Amino acid sequence: MSVNLRSVFAFAKEYHQKKESQKDIQYGTAGFRSHADNLDYVMYRMGVLAALRSRAKASQAIGVMITASHNPEHDNGVKLIDPLGEMLEQRWEKLATDLVNVPDSDLEAQVAKICADEQIDNNDQAKVFVGMDTRYHSPQLSRAVVNGVLALKGTVTEFGIVTTPMLHYFVTCTNTQHAYGLPTEEGYMSKLINSFKALRGESTTHQGNYQNQLYYDGANGVGSLKMLGFIKKLNGALNVQVFNSNGKINFKCGADFVKTNHRVPEGLPAEALANGGRCCSVDGDADRVVYYFTDKEGVFQLLDGDRIATLLAGYLKELIERCGVQLEMGLVQTAYANGASTDYIVNQMQIPVACTRTGVKHLHHKALEYDIGVYFEANGHGTIIYSDKAKQAIRAASSDEETRSEEQRKTAALLLQFIDLTNETVGDAISDMLLVETVLHAKGWNLTDWLASYTDLPNVLEKVYLADRNVITVTDADRVVVEPAGLQESINEIVSKFAKGRSFVRPSGTEDIVRVYAEADTRENAVQLAFEVANLVFDRAGGIGSRPVKMAC
């Protein structure tokens, strides 16, 4: 096989041109995202880069997922998946940014530079998996990715419409020679469902305060489509009613809408509201999930990623102690984690907590430092990672008749099923949902019971639109502003006025906005704190459009 790099440039110039008017774009925490009309040339070049990455990684499969996750319907995006289901290596994020931003005339030279710098032999095989979400423009963007791979004479496997976690799973299965599972949709579903049913056991699906009915908001995305398939195979082990399955993706629904607006999505069945039903929402590509209900007083109650992390970590700790295996468990959060959750984890659960920068790739790498690493962002994106040491120790305990009691062996066997129910590749809304349902069922809890474990501090998340988000730089896991000079000191002055006050600002990785997080002792104080900090950022960092207004309390 011989690759002519000139053909890469020629094909791009003919079919996937980059217009001179198109602004530079940056590979952020979730890859490239923009209005779909701006992405054709980006997709083509990411197909090229995926083929190069496969060759750089000894011809292992690399994934390319076409999605804009929780963004509006007119947006789309693309992110690459590394061989073991991780996000793209950070050093290659810069290569992606450089490759996308060169003019067409420099494309051939830029590809040649990557090949030289990374010592890539274009005679090697390149294997690329491509998946996409349900947006109407995803198929044409997928074709651009495929063209990029083929221009470098790579081989492409197109999985069509899949969730982002499914593509991560397919990549991992293939590169582990199926040790992680079968790289098919059927293999994915069977692995999760078989483990879920084994954990639930033969007992009644109702247990204690737990009722076998879940209301599932699919965000009008791929998560609703795939959940309908799951329901058939669950065969009553979990009764799921899907809503928001055929409208505009993420529009007034989905995990991001529920978390940001702190209210139920549109389309929620009336009986769920009337009866305090157990509800969850996923996002457009089904890699994040949050739970919620309306209490007896009609008040909306949210159980977000912080709550999911504490629920799962607490259950895992119980099982580990019961089977007598000595393992180090840690929980990883971001600055967005509610301060009350951190206090509960450290002082009540007595589990170590680490804080990293926002973005699951940062949490994922930190979680790898533990035998069992639990990580979730507050937005509901996260998972659990089990080290080889942990898996081997638990497997050994499950069959150790000499030193383990029958109860310890049974508990270790449960842990092995729990591991199989976990999609360890950077977070999976469906897997996480089934894990939550497993723990709630085991404890006999409803959402009121779950909520009672600790009380969140009231918190608010605001957006401030800027001319250029890059004027703000942050450090200390996104909690401290470095530039503009003096901004952090002014934020500190405002925070000092509020009891239990905490606030930080963080520029978006994909658009020209800065997010302002604030928490305080009361909802009114959290809203006021967010309002004052947002207006400070607007004035000091080049805000555009309307000034931030105070949220309703």
Side-chain angles (χ1 to χ4, degrees):
M1 175 179 62
S2 177
V3 175
N4 180 0
L5 294 185
R6 187 160 297 174
S7 67
V8 175
F9 161 66
F11 201 86
K13 186 177 180 182
E14 181 72 21
Y15 298 105
H16 303 287
Q17 285 188 2
K18 179 185 178 185
K19 300 172 185 175
E20 291 184 6
S21 60
Q22 287 176 310
K23 297 193 305 182
D24 283 358
I25 187 171
Q26 186 174 354
Y27 196 104
T29 54
F32 293 114
R33 282 192 199 161
S34 183
H35 193 287
D37 292 346
N38 301 327
L39 288 173
D40 180 82
Y41 77 97
V42 174
M43 296 292 179
Y44 174 77
R45 295 178 185 202
M46 286 303 94
V48 170
L49 190 73
L52 295 175
R53 181 65 173 163
S54 177
R55 288 183 175 129
K57 300 298 286 186
S59 297
Q60 295 184 93
I62 297 295
V64 180
M65 184 66 197
I66 298 158
T67 182
S69 188
H70 56 278
N71 280 34
E73 186 177 52
H74 57 70
D75 286 347
N76 216 317
V78 58
K79 51 189 170 186
L80 271 61
I81 301 167
D82 260 356
L84 293 180
E86 323 100 302
M87 298 292 195
L88 180 65
E89 181 185 334
Q90 196 162 358
R91 189 172 57 83
W92 273 68
E93 291 180 7
K94 184 178 187 307
L95 298 185
T97 299
D98 292 343
L99 183 65
V100 161
N101 291 325
V102 298
D104 285 342
S105 57
D106 293 340
L107 181 58
E108 179 186 343
Q110 189 67 28
V111 173
K113 182 178 186 301
I114 294 173
C115 292
D117 291 348
E118 302 299 323
Q119 299 180 328
I120 293 170
D121 184 349
N122 275 313
N123 291 310
D124 292 341
Q125 182 185 12
K127 187 186 303 180
V128 179
F129 291 176
V130 181
M132 61 184 176
D133 69 14
T134 54
R135 295 165 201 267
Y136 66 88
H137 30 69
S138 289
Q140 70 186 59
L141 296 176
S142 177
R143 180 50 45 191
V145 171
V146 171
N147 286 344
V149 178
L150 295 179
L152 275 183
K153 297 191 177 180
T155 60
V156 181
T157 302
E158 295 183 73
F159 285 92
I161 294 174
V162 292
T163 69
T164 296
M166 287 171 69
L167 191 64
H168 281 264
Y169 172 87
F170 300 150
V171 169
T172 306
C173 290
T174 298
N175 291 325
T176 58
Q177 290 73 51
H178 301 178
Y180 194 67
L182 296 177
T184 63
E185 189 164 333
E186 178 66 26
Y188 166 83
M189 293 177 70
S190 295
K191 181 180 180 182
L192 295 186
I193 289 171
N194 291 341
S195 297
F196 179 74
K197 288 182 176 179
L199 285 160
R200 184 148 291 207
E202 299 298 326
S203 63
T204 175
T205 49
H206 298 292
Q207 187 155 296
N209 291 329
Y210 180 88
Q211 299 294 310
N212 188 33
Q213 178 62 55
L214 176 67
Y215 298 92
Y216 176 99
D217 166 22
N220 295 317
V222 63
S224 59
L225 182 68
K226 300 307 177 186
M227 182 48 60
L228 293 172
F230 264 88
I231 290 171
K232 294 177 183 178
K233 293 180 179 294
L234 282 165
N235 195 28
L238 177 65
N239 293 328
V240 184
Q241 182 175 339
V242 176
F243 62 101
N244 291 331
S245 60
N246 58 6
K248 187 180 291 188
I249 193 169
N250 296 320
F251 183 67
K252 295 185 178 180
C253 62
D256 188 63
F257 174 85
V258 171
K259 170 66 176 172
T260 302
N261 294 281
H262 211 76
R263 66 184 180 92
V264 300
E266 292 194 356
L268 181 66
E271 66 266 25
L273 285 170
N275 301 323
R278 190 171 69 256
C279 309
C280 73
S281 290
V282 304
D283 63 334
D285 67 335
D287 63 5
R288 59 173 73 174
V289 61
V290 296
Y291 274 72
Y292 50 92
F293 71 107
T294 303
D295 66 20
K296 292 179 180 178
E297 285 70 43
V299 177
F300 173 83
Q301 301 288 355
L302 177 68
L303 298 112
D304 60 10
D306 296 339
R307 294 278 182 178
I308 294 172
T310 57
L311 181 76
L312 301 185
Y315 184 68
L316 277 170
K317 185 179 180 185
E318 289 176 20
L319 293 186
I320 291 166
E321 290 174 349
R322 276 168 46 193
C323 73
V325 177
Q326 299 299 312
L327 296 171
E328 182 187 8
M329 183 165 65
L331 201 150
V332 187
Q333 297 182 318
T334 72
Y336 288 109
N338 194 281
S341 74
T342 308
D343 180 73
Y344 175 73
I345 296 161
V346 173
N347 295 315
Q348 299 297 317
M349 300 177 69
Q350 296 188 333
I351 296 174
V353 173
C355 185
T356 73
R357 293 177 57 195
T358 301
V360 289
K361 62 187 177 186
H362 303 299
L363 288 92
H364 188 89
H365 288 299
K366 187 65 179 177
L368 289 169
E369 297 178 10
Y370 300 99
D371 295 328
I372 298 179
V374 181
Y375 71 84
F376 275 84
E377 294 186 294
N379 61 27
H381 194 175
T383 189
I384 308 165
I385 302 175
Y386 311 88
S387 68
D388 289 339
K389 171 190 169 183
K391 291 174 182 176
Q392 290 166 7
I394 295 166
R395 191 173 294 112
S398 70
S399 58
D400 182 3
E401 296 184 3
E402 293 185 6
T403 63
R404 306 283 176 183
S405 67
E406 183 180 358
E407 175 64 24
Q408 287 177 319
R409 294 196 302 275
K410 285 183 177 179
T411 303
L414 277 178
L415 265 171
L416 292 176
Q417 293 290 354
F418 203 82
I419 291 170
D420 276 348
L421 185 56
T422 309
N423 186 352
E424 298 178 63
T425 61
V426 197
D428 182 338
I430 294 175
S431 166
D432 291 340
M433 181 203 83
L434 293 174
L435 289 169
V436 168
E437 294 297 318
T438 294
V439 178
L440 293 178
H441 175 261
K443 289 180 173 292
W445 278 6
N446 59 21
L447 296 193
T448 301
D449 298 323
W450 183 8
L451 187 69
S453 55
Y454 65 88
T455 302
D456 275 326
L457 288 169
N459 59 92
V460 175
L461 188 61
E462 285 271 24
K463 292 181 181 178
V464 180
Y465 289 85
L466 305 181
D468 179 9
R469 69 181 184 275
N470 294 311
V471 301
I472 291 185
T473 57
V474 293
T475 188
D476 189 21
D478 298 333
R479 293 175 290 190
V480 175
V481 176
V482 178
E483 296 288 343
L487 178 57
Q488 184 60 53
E489 288 74 14
S490 297
I491 292 172
N492 294 344
E493 289 180 15
I494 295 173
V495 169
S496 67
K497 300 187 300 182
F498 296 90
K500 297 185 179 180
R502 183 170 73 94
S503 183
F504 67 91
V505 301
R506 173 184 167 269
S508 167
T510 55
E511 52 188 326
D512 283 325
I513 63 172
V514 63
R515 292 184 172 86
V516 175
Y517 177 87
E519 64 184 32
D521 60 334
T522 66
R523 171 75 178 173
E524 292 78 9
N525 280 344
V527 167
Q528 181 65 29
L529 175 55
F531 172 70
E532 292 187 25
V533 174
N535 276 276
L536 175 70
V537 171
F538 187 90
D539 291 334
R540 298 277 191 91
I544 58 174
S546 302
R547 294 188 68 85
V549 297
K550 189 186 294 187
M551 278 187 175
C553 292

